[in-house]
Amino acid sequence: MRTPYIGGNWKCNGTVESIKQLVQDLNQGPSTEGKVEVIVAPSSIHIGLVQSLNLRKDWKISAQNIVQEKNGGAFTGEISASMLKDLGIDSTLLGHSERRHVFGESNTVIAKKVKVSEEVGLTIIGCVGETLEERERGETNQVITSQLKDFNVTNWDKFVIAYEPVWAIGTGKTASPQQAQEAHKVLRDWLADNVNSEVAQKVRIIYGGSVNSANSDELIKQPDIDGFLVGGASLKSKDFLSIVNSGLKSVE
Ligand code: PEP
């Protein structure tokens, strides 16, 4: 039995006031302790604010990205894995489709980020996903397994896979539970064939792409869907708590 994992990706959103309100509201939700792992990923400029607002202790704060050099240095505008550790942050998203497609991050750069995260001991939420064109050409399985391979993961204990079809992110189009399950199964089978069966059984594979309070119950019922990475709906406390509740119900 894998512990569900649910992440809220706040992307480049929020004001001091809106974040104060969001944290206050999220802190009111039922405890997830020992049942569901929950992280929220504020923009890096808001990480300290969320810490100072005393985000509930059963949830953790994650980063959205890091630079590929462990200790940073001359990388204007970036944040490093060591800085996160120093702040007490122990996870980061990597390879999000917006990093790949808007900022042109290659698999090679993402693999360097995986390496420094592993060196520093960060948990990684590594994102894979096909574009609509790739899906229509029948390339989904090949695209997502090669992205998974190209992370070059060496420590699967600290790796969560996020399957996020690019066509479903921020579009209001969700993969059907069957489409998502099919892709998650392909990723789990890849782990079994290329790593080992123990890792395949243990690694959490979470779904992202327009997850909301109306579709989370059905999605998490799928055997290979172990939680969610949530963008838009994670900025609305009621919706995010309801998605977290789908995780809680799945382990009842
Ligand atoms: C995401 O940011 O990872 C995401 C899935 O966004 P949304 O839920 O808004 O589609």
Side-chain angles (χ1 to χ4, degrees):
M1 185 74 175
R2 295 175 290 270
T3 304
Y5 194 97
I6 298 181
N9 176 12
W10 296 355
K11 309 195 189 193
C12 188
N13 290 297
T15 62
V16 172
E17 268 320 302
S18 72
I19 284 173
K20 274 187 190 163
Q21 189 64 55
L22 183 56
V23 171
Q24 194 181 315
D25 294 345
L26 292 174
N27 281 357
Q28 306 305 311
S31 169
T32 59
E33 190 77 57
K35 292 182 255 177
V36 178
E37 265 183 73
V38 183
I39 56 115
V40 293
S43 79
S44 54
I45 203 167
H46 287 144
I47 286 179
L49 173 65
V50 178
Q51 286 178 314
S52 74
L53 291 169
N54 295 322
L55 179 74
R56 46 193 296 169
K57 293 284 168 279
D58 52 343
W59 293 13
K60 287 190 172 157
I61 302 170
S62 170
Q64 297 177 9
N65 186 36
I66 54 164
V67 73
Q68 61 268 33
E69 292 299 325
K70 184 163 71 176
N71 297 316
F75 298 97
T76 304
E78 297 287 336
I79 62 168
S80 74
S82 307
M83 285 173 177
L84 290 176
K85 263 288 172 192
D86 184 48
L87 277 172
I89 303 298
D90 60 16
S91 63
T92 186
L93 312 184
L94 285 181
H96 190 279
S97 88
E98 286 148 21
R99 298 301 318 171
R100 293 177 189 270
H101 296 287
V102 183
F103 298 97
E105 266 184 31
S106 64
N107 285 339
T108 312
V109 166
I110 297 166
K112 285 187 186 164
K113 296 181 178 196
V114 169
K115 185 165 181 286
V116 301
S117 300
E118 288 184 340
E119 282 168 8
V120 168
L122 296 178
T123 293
I124 298 162
I125 302 105
C127 308
V128 300
E130 80 289 358
T131 62
L132 186 58
E133 296 71 36
E134 288 164 340
R135 174 163 282 267
E136 285 171 352
R137 288 200 298 265
E139 295 169 3
T140 299
N141 298 354
Q142 192 270 325
V143 168
I144 63 178
T145 53
S146 78
Q147 287 172 338
L148 182 56
K149 173 174 179 283
D150 287 346
F151 283 128
N152 264 331
V153 176
T154 62
N155 184 0
W156 289 100
D157 288 340
K158 284 183 170 272
F159 201 90
V160 175
I161 301 169
Y163 168 63
E164 301 208 295
V166 179
W167 49 271
I169 298 179
T171 58
K173 280 187 212 149
T174 319
S176 67
Q178 294 68 31
Q179 282 173 319
Q181 165 58 25
E182 217 176 288
H184 284 227
K185 172 90 168 52
V186 164
L187 293 166
R188 204 174 296 290
D189 287 349
W190 184 91
L191 291 174
D193 294 343
N194 295 278
V195 189
N196 60 55
S197 56
E198 194 197 332
V199 164
Q201 278 318 305
K202 270 190 4 202
V203 168
R204 270 82 57 91
I205 308 179
I206 63 177
Y207 169 78
S210 300
V211 174
N212 58 43
S213 52
N215 57 31
S216 52
D217 273 349
E218 277 312 304
L219 284 160
I220 209 162
K221 280 187 191 147
Q222 299 301 313
D224 289 295
I225 299 184
D226 304 316
F228 304 112
L229 183 56
V230 187
S234 71
L235 292 163
K236 299 177 203 139
S237 56
K238 200 159 163 262
D239 292 19
F240 192 63
L241 286 171
S242 164
I243 293 165
V244 169
N245 199 41
S246 297
L248 285 170
K249 285 187 285 186
S250 77
V251 291
E252 265 169 10

